[in-house]
Amino acid sequence: MNCVGIIGYGHMGSMLVKGFLASGALHADEIVVASRSRQSLDACAATWPLIGIAATNADLARRCRTIIIAVRPQEVGGVLCEIVPVMDGDEHIVSLAAGIGLKDLEAAFTGSVTRVVPTVTSAVGQGTTLVCHGRQIGMNDALRVEGLFSSIGNVVTVSEDDLPAATLLSSCGPGLLAAVIEELAGATVRTSGISPDRALALATEMAAATAAYLRETDEAPEDLIGEVATGGGITEVGVQGFRERLPAVFDEVFAAMLERYGTVGK
Ligand SMILES: NC(=O)c1ccc[n+]([C@@H]2O[C@H](COP(=O)([O-])OP(=O)(O)OC[C@H]3O[C@@H](n4cnc5c(N)ncnc54)[C@H](OP(=O)(O)O)[C@@H]3O)[C@@H](O)[C@H]2O)c1
């Protein structure tokens, strides 16, 4: 009954199973998985023979105290309708779905609920999982879920008002940064004889090294820029170009993403 249940064995569900097991946060016999298709469940059982497989979402809810819902936002309502009637009320529902608010979760279930936003980089134990607890959360449930997700990276609690913008940064951010890396590599290829593979490898390493440098030295980006962009030098030309054009581009992109966020799951 103290098991952690994961409903939805897609990108996030499978990443969580792998992360919780690899980090040692959970043993295989402490995890139960349910998913819509036989194919996903067979893949799960083949990869992790010792974890529990539930025949239905309701079956999982009967067997677990912490229930992580890792389905797409438009599927959350249906899942809640299946599990809540078989629950005692002292379980903890943890939803990953963007756009499904604490109010929506608490309307369906009066016990402990938490919204959690991991990131694709949690798969390599890096990045931040955002956590936002509901009104009924007890200390033990809060600590348990925060401890669980800290096994796959950093955990930061945020207010629900700040969750959309924080999600763009932490969870969508890897996609945005990957697009920037792609552009840097693309510009290198277009202005040289360097192959696309080589340019991408150079760009990826540079991005990882820059993030590591900022993290380890605790320098602000501005300080790093000051060290690289000497007056009248090459980098200064690039930084100036970015500073003139990027704020408008980033504000526009964020506004569009926030608008889309507001429509997810509706
Ligand atoms: N991807 C990200 O980077 C990311 C980051 C943070 C949060 N999230 C959130 O995480 C959630 C899952 O995203 P994802 O990328 O993992 O999506 P996904 O790859 O499409 O996985 C969703 C899984 O849910 C399963 N499913 C659908 N309906 C179901 C039902 N009624 N009962 C049980 N299982 C059901 C599907 O199972 P079958 O395969 O068996 O059909 C599918 O594998 C979303 O709400 C998303 O907003 C995603």
Side-chain angles (χ1 to χ4, degrees):
M1 187 61 193
N2 246 335
C3 287
V4 172
I6 298 176
I7 298 181
Y9 193 71
H11 290 106
M12 282 291 125
S14 56
M15 188 270 287
L16 292 181
V17 171
K18 188 174 177 189
F20 294 155
L21 290 174
S23 66
L26 294 174
H27 296 295
D29 61 2
E30 294 174 301
I31 302 181
V32 179
V33 168
S35 205
R36 182 178 45 191
S37 72
R38 188 71 250 164
Q39 201 183 5
S40 293
L41 290 177
D42 286 348
C44 178
T47 314
W48 312 108
L50 298 179
I51 76 169
I53 299 291
T56 62
N57 295 332
D59 175 31
L60 177 145
R62 283 189 202 96
R63 292 161 65 178
C64 301
R65 213 193 147 268
T66 305
I67 299 165
I68 299 175
I69 303 181
V71 302
R72 298 229 173 140
Q74 61 272 25
E75 274 134 10
V76 172
V79 168
L80 289 169
C81 286
E82 290 172 56
I83 63 173
V84 172
V86 304
M87 291 165 63
D88 295 334
D90 64 348
E91 299 86 348
H92 183 188
I93 290 184
V94 179
S95 167
L96 265 57
I100 305 294
L102 290 171
K103 230 163 62 181
D104 304 316
L105 299 169
E106 285 169 344
F109 178 64
T110 52
S112 295
V113 301
T114 297
R115 292 181 66 184
V116 158
V117 186
T119 153
V120 70
T121 59
S122 307
V124 291
Q126 303 277 331
T128 299
T129 294
L130 303 170
V131 172
C132 178
H133 296 299
R135 285 171 304 155
Q136 302 300 330
I137 193 81
M139 180 74 88
N140 286 346
D141 283 338
L143 291 178
R144 179 165 155 81
V145 78
E146 287 172 27
L148 200 51
F149 281 87
S150 68
S151 73
I152 55 167
N154 196 24
V155 166
V156 169
T157 55
V158 290
S159 73
E160 195 167 34
D161 285 345
D162 289 340
L163 199 60
T167 297
L168 300 197
L169 193 55
S170 290
S171 185
C172 306
L176 300 177
L177 199 54
V180 170
I181 290 172
E182 216 172 47
E183 287 306 324
L184 289 169
T188 306
V189 170
R190 291 191 292 276
T191 52
S192 73
I194 297 175
S195 73
D197 284 357
R198 201 142 194 238
L200 196 54
L202 285 170
T204 303
E205 185 55 30
M206 178 278 298
T210 304
Y213 181 92
L214 287 174
R215 189 151 63 175
E216 279 172 37
T217 60
D218 217 16
E219 275 184 19
E222 194 185 357
D223 300 329
L224 187 154
I225 290 169
E227 283 159 35
V228 187
T230 47
I234 309 159
T235 313
E236 193 186 43
V237 174
V239 170
Q240 213 172 326
F242 273 7
R243 282 181 164 163
E244 277 164 18
R245 285 172 240 175
L246 285 191
V249 172
F250 275 61
D251 286 352
E252 194 184 315
V253 163
F254 262 56
M257 290 170 77
L258 282 172
E259 196 180 329
R260 175 63 60 85
Y261 187 101
T263 66
V264 166
K266 305 287 184 289

